[in-house]
Amino acid sequence: MTGSAQESNMDRILQEISAVGRKLEGMDSAMVSLTAETKSICMEIASFQTCVLGLEQRVSTVEAQSASFQDRDQEHLFLRSKLTDLEDRSRRDNLRFLGFPENIEGEDLHGFLRDTLPKLTGITFDPPLEFQRAHRLGPRRPGTDARPRAIIACLLRHAQAR
């Protein structure tokens, strides 16, 4: 090859190298921009992770408190039923009947008291007496000549009998 042809080839190669260099510079600035955007996205992701971790801790706390509240609700229901039972069994509203022979009431102590008390007192109850509960007090005593057990009863609507 001749010198001018070589120079022309070299010029063309230099022009192509310089075009490639300009393209690389453009790509370099694009890479810098992409790197900055990637760092920004990474920082946002880290921020979101921190928020998510905080929320997970709060949810765990709320779940633990919820379980505690459920336990307390169960305890509250139990104590409420126990209180209701104790109020229902309060001694101050109990009536005590003495002297009724054992087994005179048969199978229905409530019915026996409902029918017998108006006859014994001479009072007509309107509406008829209703008992919340009625039972004999204590265990059955041995022997046929044993003293009869007391009957304990609580009227359902005790105000009507007063």
Side-chain angles (χ1 to χ4, degrees):
M1 283 195 169
T2 63
S4 75
Q6 277 184 345
E7 279 183 29
S8 129
N9 279 341
M10 287 298 264
D11 285 340
R12 199 172 35 106
I13 290 173
L14 284 174
Q15 286 175 355
E16 286 181 20
I17 288 175
S18 123
V20 168
R22 284 189 300 272
K23 285 182 182 177
L24 286 175
E25 285 176 3
M27 290 174 81
D28 187 42
S29 67
M31 286 297 288
V32 168
S33 172
L34 282 174
T35 303
E37 285 182 41
T38 304
K39 285 181 182 179
S40 171
I41 289 172
C42 286
M43 290 174 57
E44 285 182 34
I45 288 173
S47 171
F48 288 143
Q49 285 177 333
T50 303
C51 289
V52 167
L53 288 174
L55 290 173
E56 284 178 348
Q57 289 174 347
R58 290 176 65 188
V59 166
S60 296
T61 303
V62 168
E63 286 174 341
Q65 288 176 346
S66 174
S68 173
F69 288 146
Q70 289 174 349
D71 291 343
R72 287 182 186 162
D73 283 347
Q74 291 296 325
E75 183 180 7
H76 178 259
L77 290 173
F78 172 74
L79 292 174
R80 190 169 199 67
S81 69
K82 193 171 182 178
L83 176 65
T84 301
D85 186 51
L86 288 173
E87 286 175 344
D88 288 346
R89 294 181 185 269
S90 174
R91 290 182 178 197
R92 64 176 183 204
D93 292 334
N94 285 345
L95 299 173
R96 189 174 214 182
F97 301 102
L98 303 171
F100 286 105
E102 291 284 335
N103 296 326
I104 194 170
E105 68 273 8
E107 295 292 318
D108 184 17
L109 183 59
H110 290 247
F112 171 74
L113 291 174
R114 184 180 56 243
D115 297 337
T116 306
L117 289 180
K119 291 177 190 171
L120 290 175
T121 60
I123 300 171
T124 304
F125 295 96
D126 188 30
L129 293 175
E130 291 181 61
F131 291 92
Q132 186 173 3
R133 70 184 170 284
H135 58 88
R136 291 276 183 170
L137 186 60
R140 192 177 291 272
R141 295 187 179 121
T144 56
D145 60 342
R147 187 176 52 153
R149 297 175 292 159
I151 295 174
I152 301 293
C154 183
L155 293 171
L156 186 59
R157 294 176 186 77
H158 64 278
Q160 73 185 16
R162 289 185 176 170

